[in-house]
Coordinates of all heavy atoms in Angstrom, one line a residue:
D241 N -91.3 24.7 23.4 CA -90.3 24.2 22.6 C -89.6 23.0 23.3 O -89.4 21.9 22.7 CB -89.2 25.2 22.2 CG -88.7 26.0 23.4 OD1 -89.3 26.0 24.4 OD2 -87.6 26.7 23.2
A242 N -89.3 23.2 24.5 CA -88.7 22.1 25.4 C -89.7 20.9 25.5 O -89.3 19.7 25.4 CB -88.3 22.6 26.7
L243 N -91.0 21.2 25.8 CA -91.9 20.2 26.0 C -92.0 19.2 24.7 O -92.0 18.0 24.9 CB -93.3 20.8 26.3 CG -94.5 19.8 26.4 CD1 -94.3 18.8 27.5 CD2 -95.8 20.5 26.5
L244 N -92.2 19.9 23.6 CA -92.3 19.1 22.3 C -91.1 18.4 22.0 O -91.0 17.2 21.6 CB -92.7 20.1 21.2 CG -94.1 20.6 21.4 CD1 -94.4 21.7 20.2 CD2 -95.2 19.6 21.4
A245 N -89.8 19.0 22.2 CA -88.6 18.3 22.1 C -88.5 17.0 22.9 O -87.9 16.0 22.4 CB -87.4 19.3 22.3
I246 N -88.9 17.1 24.1 CA -88.8 15.9 25.0 C -89.8 14.9 24.8 O -89.5 13.7 24.7 CB -88.8 16.5 26.5 CG1 -87.6 17.3 26.8 CG2 -88.8 15.2 27.4 CD1 -87.6 18.0 28.2
V247 N -91.0 15.3 24.6 CA -92.2 14.3 24.5 C -92.2 13.6 23.1 O -92.6 12.5 23.0 CB -93.5 15.0 24.8 CG1 -94.0 15.8 23.7 CG2 -94.5 14.0 25.3
Q248 N -91.7 14.2 22.1 CA -91.7 13.5 20.7 C -90.5 12.9 20.4 O -89.7 13.2 19.5 CB -91.9 14.8 19.7 CG -93.2 15.5 19.8 CD -94.4 14.6 19.3 OE1 -94.5 13.4 19.8 NE2 -95.2 15.1 18.4
M249 N -90.3 11.7 21.2 CA -89.1 10.9 20.9 C -89.5 9.9 19.8 O -90.6 9.4 19.7 CB -88.7 10.2 22.3 CG -88.2 11.2 23.3 SD -86.8 12.1 22.7 CE -85.6 10.8 22.4
P250 N -88.4 9.3 19.2 CA -88.6 8.3 18.1 C -89.0 7.0 18.8 O -88.6 6.8 20.0 CB -87.3 8.3 17.3 CG -86.2 8.9 18.3 CD -87.0 9.8 19.2
P251 N -89.6 6.1 18.0 CA -89.9 4.7 18.6 C -88.6 4.1 19.1 O -87.5 4.2 18.5 CB -90.4 4.0 17.4 CG -91.0 5.1 16.5 CD -90.0 6.2 16.7
G252 N -88.7 3.5 20.3 CA -87.7 2.8 20.9 C -86.8 3.6 21.8 O -86.1 3.0 22.6
I253 N -87.1 4.9 21.9 CA -86.3 5.8 22.9 C -87.3 6.5 23.7 O -87.6 7.8 23.5 CB -85.4 6.7 22.1 CG1 -84.6 6.0 21.1 CG2 -84.5 7.5 23.1 CD1 -83.6 5.0 21.6
P254 N -88.0 5.9 24.6 CA -89.1 6.6 25.4 C -88.5 7.4 26.5 O -87.5 7.1 27.1 CB -89.9 5.4 26.1 CG -88.9 4.3 26.2 CD -88.0 4.4 25.0
V255 N -89.1 8.5 26.7 CA -88.8 9.5 27.8 C -90.1 9.9 28.3 O -91.0 10.5 27.7 CB -88.1 10.7 27.3 CG1 -87.9 11.8 28.5 CG2 -86.7 10.4 26.7
A256 N -90.3 9.4 29.6 CA -91.6 9.9 30.3 C -91.4 11.4 30.5 O -90.3 11.8 30.8 CB -91.7 9.2 31.7
T257 N -92.5 12.2 30.3 CA -92.4 13.6 30.3 C -93.5 14.2 31.2 O -94.6 13.8 31.1 CB -92.5 14.1 28.9 OG1 -91.6 13.5 28.0 CG2 -92.2 15.6 28.8
V258 N -93.1 15.1 32.1 CA -94.0 15.8 32.9 C -94.2 17.2 32.4 O -93.6 17.6 31.4 CB -93.5 15.8 34.4 CG1 -93.4 14.5 34.9 CG2 -92.2 16.5 34.5
G259 N -95.0 18.0 33.0 CA -95.3 19.3 32.6 C -94.1 20.3 32.6 O -93.1 19.9 33.3
I260 N -94.3 21.4 32.0 CA -93.2 22.4 32.1 C -93.0 22.9 33.5 O -93.8 23.2 34.2 CB -93.7 23.6 31.1 CG1 -93.9 23.1 29.7 CG2 -92.7 24.7 31.2 CD1 -94.6 24.1 28.9
N261 N -91.7 22.7 33.8 CA -91.1 23.1 35.2 C -91.8 22.2 36.3 O -91.6 22.6 37.5 CB -91.4 24.6 35.5 CG -90.6 25.6 34.7 OD1 -89.7 25.2 34.0 ND2 -90.8 26.8 34.8
A262 N -92.2 21.1 35.9 CA -92.9 20.2 36.9 C -91.9 19.2 37.6 O -92.1 18.0 37.6 CB -94.1 19.5 36.3
A263 N -90.9 19.8 38.2 CA -89.9 18.9 38.8 C -90.3 18.1 39.9 O -89.9 16.9 40.1 CB -88.7 19.8 39.3
M264 N -91.3 18.6 40.7 CA -91.8 17.8 41.9 C -92.5 16.6 41.3 O -92.4 15.5 41.8 CB -92.7 18.6 42.7 CG -93.3 17.9 43.9 SD -94.4 19.0 44.7 CE -95.1 17.9 46.0
N265 N -93.3 16.7 40.3 CA -94.0 15.6 39.7 C -93.0 14.6 39.1 O -93.3 13.4 39.1 CB -95.0 16.1 38.6 CG -96.3 16.4 39.2 OD1 -96.6 16.2 40.4 ND2 -97.2 16.9 38.4
A266 N -91.9 15.1 38.5 CA -90.9 14.1 38.1 C -90.4 13.3 39.2 O -90.2 12.1 39.0 CB -89.7 14.9 37.4
A267 N -90.1 13.9 40.4 CA -89.6 13.2 41.5 C -90.7 12.2 42.0 O -90.3 11.0 42.3 CB -89.2 14.1 42.6
L268 N -91.9 12.6 42.1 CA -93.0 11.7 42.5 C -93.2 10.6 41.5 O -93.4 9.4 42.0 CB -94.3 12.5 42.6 CG -94.3 13.5 43.8 CD1 -95.5 14.4 43.8 CD2 -94.2 12.7 45.1
L269 N -93.0 10.7 40.2 CA -93.1 9.7 39.2 C -91.9 8.7 39.4 O -92.1 7.5 39.4 CB -93.1 10.2 37.8 CG -93.2 9.2 36.8 CD1 -94.4 8.3 36.9 CD2 -93.2 9.9 35.4
A270 N -90.8 9.2 39.7 CA -89.6 8.3 40.0 C -89.8 7.6 41.2 O -89.6 6.3 41.3 CB -88.3 9.3 40.1
I271 N -90.4 8.2 42.2 CA -90.7 7.5 43.5 C -91.7 6.3 43.2 O -91.6 5.2 43.7 CB -91.2 8.3 44.6 CG1 -90.1 9.3 45.0 CG2 -91.9 7.6 45.8 CD1 -90.5 10.6 45.8
Q272 N -92.8 6.6 42.5 CA -93.8 5.6 42.1 C -93.1 4.4 41.3 O -93.4 3.3 41.6 CB -94.9 6.2 41.2 CG -95.9 7.0 42.0 CD -97.0 7.5 41.0 OE1 -96.8 8.4 40.3 NE2 -98.1 6.9 41.2
M273 N -92.2 4.8 40.4 CA -91.5 3.7 39.6 C -90.7 2.8 40.6 O -90.8 1.6 40.5 CB -90.6 4.3 38.6 CG -91.2 5.0 37.5 SD -90.0 5.8 36.4 CE -91.0 6.3 35.0
M274 N -90.0 3.4 41.4 CA -89.1 2.6 42.4 C -90.1 1.9 43.4 O -89.6 0.8 43.9 CB -88.2 3.6 43.1 CG -87.1 4.1 42.2 SD -85.8 5.1 42.9 CE -86.8 6.4 43.7
A275 N -91.1 2.4 43.7 CA -92.0 1.8 44.8 C -92.6 0.4 44.3 O -92.9 -0.4 45.1 CB -93.1 2.7 45.1
T276 N -92.6 0.2 43.0 CA -93.1 -1.1 42.5 C -92.3 -2.2 43.0 O -92.8 -3.4 43.0 CB -93.3 -1.1 40.9 OG1 -92.0 -0.9 40.4 CG2 -94.2 0.0 40.4
G277 N -91.0 -2.0 43.2 CA -90.2 -3.1 43.8 C -89.7 -2.8 45.2 O -88.7 -3.4 45.6
D278 N -90.3 -1.9 45.9 CA -89.9 -1.5 47.3 C -91.0 -1.2 48.2 O -91.7 -0.2 48.1 CB -88.9 -0.2 47.2 CG -88.4 0.3 48.4 OD1 -89.0 0.1 49.5 OD2 -87.4 0.9 48.4
K279 N -91.4 -2.2 49.0 CA -92.6 -2.1 49.8 C -92.6 -1.0 50.7 O -93.6 -0.4 51.0 CB -92.9 -3.5 50.5 CG -93.3 -4.6 49.6 CD -93.6 -5.9 50.2 CE -93.9 -6.9 49.2 NZ -94.7 -7.9 49.7
E280 N -91.5 -0.8 51.4 CA -91.3 0.3 52.4 C -91.7 1.7 51.7 O -92.4 2.5 52.2 CB -90.0 0.4 53.0 CG -89.9 1.5 54.0 CD -88.5 1.7 54.6 OE1 -87.8 0.7 54.7 OE2 -88.1 2.8 54.8
L281 N -91.1 1.9 50.5 CA -91.3 3.1 49.7 C -92.7 3.2 49.3 O -93.3 4.3 49.2 CB -90.3 3.2 48.6 CG -90.3 4.4 47.7 CD1 -90.0 5.6 48.6 CD2 -89.2 4.4 46.6
A282 N -93.3 2.1 48.8 CA -94.7 2.0 48.4 C -95.6 2.5 49.5 O -96.6 3.3 49.3 CB -95.1 0.7 47.9
K283 N -95.3 2.1 50.8 CA -96.1 2.5 52.0 C -95.9 4.0 52.2 O -97.0 4.6 52.5 CB -95.6 1.7 53.2 CG -96.1 2.2 54.5 CD -97.6 1.8 54.7 CE -98.1 2.1 56.1 NZ -98.6 3.4 56.3
R284 N -94.8 4.5 52.1 CA -94.5 6.0 52.4 C -95.3 6.7 51.2 O -95.8 7.8 51.5 CB -93.1 6.3 52.3 CG -92.3 5.8 53.6 CD -90.9 6.3 53.8 NE -90.3 6.1 52.5 CZ -89.0 6.0 52.4 NH1 -88.1 6.1 53.4 NH2 -88.4 5.8 51.2
F285 N -95.2 6.3 50.0 CA -95.9 7.0 48.9 C -97.4 6.9 49.1 O -98.1 7.9 48.9 CB -95.5 6.4 47.5 CG -96.0 7.3 46.4 CD1 -95.4 8.4 46.1 CD2 -97.2 6.9 45.7 CE1 -95.9 9.2 45.1 CE2 -97.6 7.7 44.7 CZ -96.9 8.9 44.4
A286 N -97.9 5.8 49.5 CA -99.4 5.7 49.8 C -99.8 6.7 50.9 O -100.8 7.3 50.9 CB -99.7 4.3 50.2

């Protein structure tokens, strides 16, 4: 129920969605997003 409620957003209101209880992946995705503009973080992620 939570997965479908989060992933099925209307056009113009995107929410990136990870798996059920996948908090670690959410943090890793956040890190990847931030690493696009942060070379030091990109190196640590690599």
